[in-house]
Amino acid sequence: MSPHDLDPYDADRPLRLGCACGRHQSAAEHAAQTADDGAQAATTELRRRSESAAFEAESNAFVEASLIKALFPHDALRRRFLRAVGRPTAMAAIASVLPIAPLQALAQDKALVPEKKDLKIGFIPITCATPLIMAHPLGFYAKQGLNVEVVKTAGWALIRDKMLNKEYDATHFLSPMPLAITLGLGSTAQPMHVATIQNTNGQAITLHVKHKDKRDPKDWKGFKFAVPFEYSMHNFLLRYYVAEHGLDPDRDIQIRVVPPPEMVANLRAGNIDGYLGPDPFNQRAVFEEVGFLHLLTKELWPGHPCCAFGTSAEFIAKHPNSFAALYRAVLTAAAMAREAKNRELIAKVIAPQAYLNQPETVIAQVLTGKFADGLGKVQNVPDRADFDPIPWQSMAVWILTQMKRWGYLKGEVNYKQIAEKVFLLTDARKHMKALDMKVAESKDGGYPKFSVMGKPFDPDKAAAYADSFAIRRSAA
């Protein structure tokens, strides 16, 4: 503080310390109030949009289309089925054979009475949780008859433990976590399910600004990297990326677990050279001028899963109506989050301290895809983060191949059996048979193919894929 600031006889200095508008004790308080006012206004506007007849129609169509697409992922098969029986009969028949019959409410305007109304849902303060978070202030849970508390949680290990201890009813998961917990990897085994994917893409590799001249991963030997959790897409994509450039992720670099909110501070302190982390912490490093975006992970695998919304098999069995209500609330939020026109308002809603506790401009850059990259350029990538909710089972199979590749899974692995047990995407053929219809062969079923760094992945040949890499831990 300068003598000027302390001089009570300075005519230009007000005697009462405060902000420029004179209504707050400090500039920080003024900024906080302005942010709160912006969040309230954005929430009001988004609620207005969500209550419009147009959005209700869009939302209902989105929920129904998501369900139909999940059940009948092969386009020709889906069209044949719907033409054969008609929409009302199709939806009634599908609802009758779903594992959770009350999910019929997803496609019909029927009110369900939740068995358990007061629910706790955990989340990590990252943009991946956008649908789960925004469903709270926008009242989507309440509209389903639920009283939901969304609980900000410090790290993924705590999320896992609170789900195992039944302190949370449902949660924001990293997509690999329910697979790991179901298999008893890193914890006691307890069946978990992925209900929806919370977001696709939404990750990046961020490097310290001192490494701007080391963009080639071959120069990263000895680097220390952070990922948010061992069983994360971040860990598996980082391993995949460096291995494709000839580095052994267990020998040539160090990978350590750092909770997402602590990543920027560790980068600034020089404890790590970079991280493959979730947003908004990649963009926050650019905002703080301590890091730059090496690449977005969508460049490795466009449309890859990041986080998921899920719960335990036990919760679904005991509270099917409550689960159906949660499912609908989160899908409704995902429908709103997918619309580009809503993204800037959503940034205002989720930026405050109760949720992400981040500068609104950081969140907006992530959600709109118009962002500074830390290398002197402004990029425009509209799908930097997206919110496609379909939990394709081929995604689960790929995750399992990487668990096998790096020695997390030992012995023989029944990839599809595990994928179908954990990722709630019902196979179209089961439902066709239940309706006594002739079942046509689906080329891909719930297992659409994709490529990672240009290498095609065929989920039907998962074991061979896991063994095909020159750099891997175990072939056993």
Side-chain angles (χ1 to χ4, degrees):
M1 189 174 290
S2 71
H4 172 86
D5 295 324
L6 295 170
D7 183 1
Y9 299 102
D10 181 355
D12 295 324
R13 176 184 176 276
L15 286 176
R16 182 179 179 274
L17 296 178
C19 69
C21 77
R23 293 195 303 271
H24 307 97
Q25 292 293 324
S26 66
E29 184 182 319
H30 176 94
Q33 185 62 55
T34 301
D36 287 345
D37 291 345
Q40 285 294 329
T43 299
T44 299
E45 173 59 19
L46 285 173
R47 278 192 171 187
R48 186 192 66 76
R49 292 182 187 181
S50 73
E51 291 166 359
S52 69
F55 177 74
E56 187 174 351
E58 281 178 23
S59 176
N60 288 339
F62 179 84
V63 170
E64 187 171 323
S66 296
L67 185 59
I68 287 286
K69 188 176 179 184
L71 294 172
F72 299 91
H74 192 266
D75 290 342
L77 189 64
R78 181 169 63 250
R79 286 193 293 269
R80 192 177 305 127
F81 170 65
L82 292 173
R83 277 199 301 267
V85 302
R87 177 178 170 273
T89 302
M91 293 311 302
I94 288 165
S96 72
V97 293
L98 272 168
I100 307 113
L103 279 179
Q104 185 171 9
L106 295 177
Q108 298 184 7
D109 293 327
K110 284 188 178 179
L112 289 175
V113 179
E115 301 86 357
K116 184 177 182 182
K117 294 183 178 180
D118 296 333
L119 303 175
K120 283 189 176 181
I121 300 178
F123 76 94
I124 301 291
I126 54 180
T127 50
C128 308
T130 293
L132 185 157
I133 294 171
M134 63 182 276
H136 184 254
L138 294 181
F140 294 160
Y141 296 121
K143 286 178 183 176
Q144 299 301 320
L146 301 173
N147 177 29
V148 169
E149 180 185 358
V150 288
V151 186
K152 190 189 297 188
T153 311
W156 292 109
L158 194 55
I159 287 275
R160 175 198 62 204
D161 293 346
K162 286 183 176 289
M163 280 299 294
L164 289 172
N165 295 334
K166 302 181 178 60
E167 293 177 56
Y168 290 164
D169 298 289
T171 195
H172 173 202
F173 274 131
L174 293 161
S175 293
M177 284 177 66
L179 293 163
I181 296 170
T182 298
L183 294 168
L185 302 177
S187 69
T188 54
Q190 190 176 123
M192 295 284 166
H193 290 302
V194 168
T196 70
I197 296 298
Q198 278 285 283
N199 74 302
T200 54
N201 303 329
Q203 307 173 13
I205 296 178
T206 297
L207 294 178
H208 195 286
V209 288
K210 68 184 179 184
H211 295 312
K212 286 185 178 180
D213 61 343
K214 293 184 179 177
R215 299 295 307 280
D216 188 338
K218 293 184 178 67
D219 297 330
W220 293 356
K221 280 195 176 184
F223 273 28
K224 298 181 180 73
F225 282 93
V227 296
F229 196 62
E230 199 166 14
Y231 297 101
S232 67
M233 287 299 297
H234 313 79
N235 183 28
F236 297 134
L237 287 174
L238 177 62
R239 287 172 170 272
Y240 194 104
Y241 180 68
V242 298
E244 287 295 294
H245 287 87
L247 298 184
D248 187 317
D250 293 314
R251 294 166 184 161
D252 294 323
I253 64 172
Q254 292 182 41
I255 301 177
R256 60 183 64 171
V257 170
V258 175
E262 298 175 18
M263 286 181 167
V264 176
N266 274 273
L267 191 69
R268 182 186 293 107
N271 297 331
I272 53 176
D273 295 283
Y275 49 83
L276 200 159
D279 276 313
F281 296 104
N282 302 294
Q283 199 60 46
R284 184 63 189 262
V286 175
F287 181 80
E288 299 284 351
E289 299 183 345
V290 297
F292 67 93
L293 303 183
H294 172 68
L295 61 75
L296 302 178
T297 50
K298 72 176 291 291
E299 298 172 43
L300 309 181
W301 172 4
H304 71 78
C306 179
C307 290
F309 170 66
T311 187
S312 66
E314 180 181 344
F315 179 85
I316 295 173
K318 286 185 176 179
H319 312 289
N321 288 6
S322 299
F323 177 69
L326 279 174
Y327 199 120
R328 184 160 192 159
V330 173
L331 279 182
T332 302
M336 179 159 270
R338 293 211 81 185
E339 293 286 334
K341 65 186 179 185
N342 295 325
R343 296 285 183 90
E344 288 189 10
L345 289 175
I346 291 170
K348 292 178 182 291
V349 171
I350 66 175
Q353 185 176 6
Y355 302 118
L356 299 193
N357 194 26
Q358 293 289 324
E360 181 192 318
T361 183
V362 171
I363 308 298
Q365 286 184 73
V366 172
L367 294 184
T368 63
K370 295 176 183 176
F371 59 92
D373 61 8
L375 293 168
K377 295 181 181 177
V378 174
Q379 305 287 352
N380 188 7
V381 185
D383 61 346
R384 172 176 175 170
D386 204 356
F387 302 97
D388 187 343
I390 304 299
W392 297 112
Q393 286 157 348
S394 52
M395 293 173 171
V397 172
W398 186 87
I399 292 167
L400 291 166
T401 66
Q402 300 310 293
M403 290 183 181
K404 174 68 172 174
R405 175 185 182 182
W406 300 115
Y408 295 102
L409 271 175
K410 306 289 185 183
E412 292 295 318
V413 180
N414 191 328
Y415 291 97
K416 287 193 172 183
Q417 182 184 70
I418 299 168
E420 289 167 17
K421 180 179 179 182
V422 178
F423 276 44
L424 293 182
L425 174 67
T426 309
D427 190 290
R429 297 177 65 186
K430 272 186 248 179
H431 301 284
M432 295 291 284
K433 288 177 181 177
L435 297 169
D436 295 323
M437 292 180 65
K438 182 179 179 181
V439 179
E441 289 297 320
S442 170
K443 181 182 177 183
D444 296 325
Y447 296 88
K449 297 180 178 66
F450 47 79
S451 295
V452 182
M453 290 187 69
K455 183 173 183 175
F457 172 63
D458 184 346
D460 291 328
K461 300 174 182 176
Y465 179 84
D467 291 339
S468 68
F469 298 99
I471 301 176
R472 64 184 190 275
R473 280 291 74 77
S474 173

